[in-house]
Amino acid sequence: MPTSPSEPPEAAQSFPYDLAVIGAGPAGLAAAVTAADLGLRCALLDGGRQSGGQYYRHPAPGLGAARPDRLHHGWSVYADLAGRLAAHERTGQVRFLGGHQVWALERTGDGLAAHVTLGPEAGDRTTVRAAAVLLATGAYERQLPFPGWTLPGVVTAGGAQAMLKAGLVLPGRRIVVAGSGPLLLAAASSLVSAGAEVPAVVEAGDYLGYARRPGVLAAVPAKLVEGAGHGGALLRHRVRLRPRSAVVEAHGTDRVTAVTVARLDADWRPVPGTGRRIACDALAVGHGLLPQIELATELGADTVTGPDGAVALRVDARLRTTVPGLWSAGEANGVGGADLAIAEGALAAHAVAGRTPEPALLRRRARRRAFAALMAAAHRPGPGWTDWLRPDTDVCRCEEVPLAAIREAVDELGAGDPRTVKLLTRAGMGWCQGRMCGPAVACLSGAGDASGHGGAGPDRRPLACPVPLSQLAAGD
């Protein structure tokens, strides 16, 4: 039930908004509508034109999708949040700013300023000022390269789902799903339900790690039901699950036509003689998700390394970061799914408003955060994945930098960290700014562990997304 509104803090009176929420996915939506329920004036910013983020991605309007809910798990939860958002928009308590991509945060006296680009065609940038900012920026997929991963038809696991949700299209008709993490089961379930043939789900881990903490599993029965639903869909369509295995090469000329799947040892090294070729016309591959935290780390926010090696923001029990006035909710604090993100969004809103949340909300967050840690540990990359690579394998696909060039930079030119490797090879200088190759480059440079983290420290950059020079030169 909504709590009765309260007066915003005195420091907020001189700002257009009491709270700016960056990201309109599950965490951001929950934060904005809860904060509005508590009487705060909110701005909700997102690079997309519609709310929902990557998780609740909408079909393109021109496609005329009559039942977008059938493409999503938990659409009714989004419908409720979107309805509450619309109600607060009508009263002026929340302003949703779609198409607003935040490229930097700046401290301004007692508050924060979010610098925003409206796209490459916009003449000027804009700035949104608020007494407090809540980051709900989500995550992006971790990619580990292998020979053939740059072939047309090879997409990320999340990318395959995005094509289906937003474009109502499949990346192919016969699709191998591979990598590691729970996203694989969800992606495969969505693809077969949409009519694709999935000959195999290739999981580098083995799910036995979940059994090490049965109490954590028992505390989140909804996750067990969700997993059983995905598993049931795969059984009905006779999809084979191959644990402790990986796609170690994709084959083809103009596009992928087959993949080689090999068994892995405990360190993720391919076991000799176990390679098997599977014909396909698409491959959906991903090795979990990485928190998107650049806006906070550029301000100097402290980070922590999770059980899967991913770097996340350090927050206290009230979800405050170490930067005054900056809160964080959802995947930026460690990947844990939509339920956790929604709980943390609501909790952070209570903290910003200076209100005490219901104990049930605190318990919900604690149970789901414990499950997130268990999930991360179960799918942590092993050090042997680098044995998949050949000297000519492109590690940075944007700049076409092969493994041989990175090895040369490290072994012969003395590079010992990702930044030096970047300067010597251009790895990470492309359009994605290292989001695709960053973990692999960090691992190969010797600065990080098998996951690409642990020794390299958080990624810091003054621009969180591409911004036209004309907008950088323009005044506020």
Side-chain angles (χ1 to χ4, degrees), residues 167-430:
L168 306 184
V169 296
L170 295 167
R173 300 305 305 176
R174 183 175 166 87
I175 309 167
V176 171
V177 179
S180 187
L183 181 60
L184 301 188
L185 296 181
S189 176
S190 298
L191 294 172
V192 296
S193 298
E197 179 186 357
V198 177
V201 175
V202 184
E203 164 65 60
D206 62 7
Y207 297 108
L208 293 179
Y210 289 91
R212 294 171 187 153
R213 298 185 65 189
V216 172
L217 282 177
V220 285
K223 289 295 183 183
L224 296 175
V225 172
E226 181 182 345
H230 294 320
L234 299 183
L235 282 174
R236 288 193 301 273
H237 290 88
R238 299 181 179 180
V239 176
R240 182 177 180 183
L241 178 63
R242 292 174 174 257
R244 284 289 180 193
S245 302
V247 169
V248 294
E249 185 171 2
H251 308 280
T253 304
D254 297 326
R255 66 173 291 118
V256 62
T257 56
V259 296
T260 293
V261 174
R263 291 281 295 173
L264 302 179
D265 65 17
D267 290 326
W268 286 31
R269 291 184 177 87
V271 177
T274 63
R276 298 291 183 272
R277 195 166 175 130
I278 300 176
C280 62
D281 61 0
L283 169 64
V285 60
H287 290 86
L289 301 171
L290 298 173
Q292 189 160 313
I293 59 175
E294 294 93 342
L295 290 171
T297 55
E298 183 58 24
L299 282 178
D302 286 351
T303 60
V304 295
T305 301
D308 61 346
V311 176
L313 293 178
R314 182 188 298 276
V315 294
D316 64 14
R318 300 284 278 170
L319 299 176
R320 292 174 295 194
T321 72
T322 55
V323 175
L326 183 64
W327 277 257
S328 176
E331 313 288 52
N333 302 337
V335 173
D339 292 343
L340 173 60
I342 289 170
E344 290 198 340
L347 281 172
H350 277 85
V352 175
R355 305 295 289 269
T356 301
E358 295 180 0
L361 187 59
L362 293 169
R363 292 193 296 270
R364 177 181 163 196
R365 187 249 178 175
R367 290 193 298 267
R368 283 158 175 76
R369 186 50 75 186
F371 177 78
L374 176 62
M375 178 177 65
H379 298 286
R380 183 186 181 100
W385 72 264
T386 57
D387 285 11
W388 308 348
L389 307 178
R390 295 196 300 252
D392 62 347
T393 302
D394 280 336
V395 175
C396 173
R397 59 193 304 161
C398 296
E399 296 293 324
E400 299 181 339
V401 180
L403 173 65
I406 294 175
R407 293 289 195 205
E408 180 185 18
V410 173
D411 297 337
E412 298 181 22
L413 302 179
D417 61 84
R419 182 175 180 81
T420 305
V421 170
K422 177 191 290 189
L423 293 173
L424 293 172
T425 68
R426 296 192 58 83
M429 288 189 179

Side-chain angles (χ1 to χ4, degrees), residues 66-116:
R67 294 291 305 277
D69 56 298
R70 300 188 67 178
L71 300 171
H72 295 79
H73 173 76
W75 183 259
S76 61
V77 176
Y78 167 72
D80 175 68
L81 291 171
R84 292 168 62 190
L85 175 65
H88 284 305
E89 283 189 281
R90 287 193 292 270
T91 64
Q93 198 72 21
V94 177
R95 186 181 179 193
F96 174 56
L97 300 171
H100 284 56
Q101 183 72 48
V102 179
W103 54 267
L105 288 176
E106 179 185 9
R107 288 202 54 77
T108 57
D110 294 330
L112 289 159
H115 297 294
V116 175

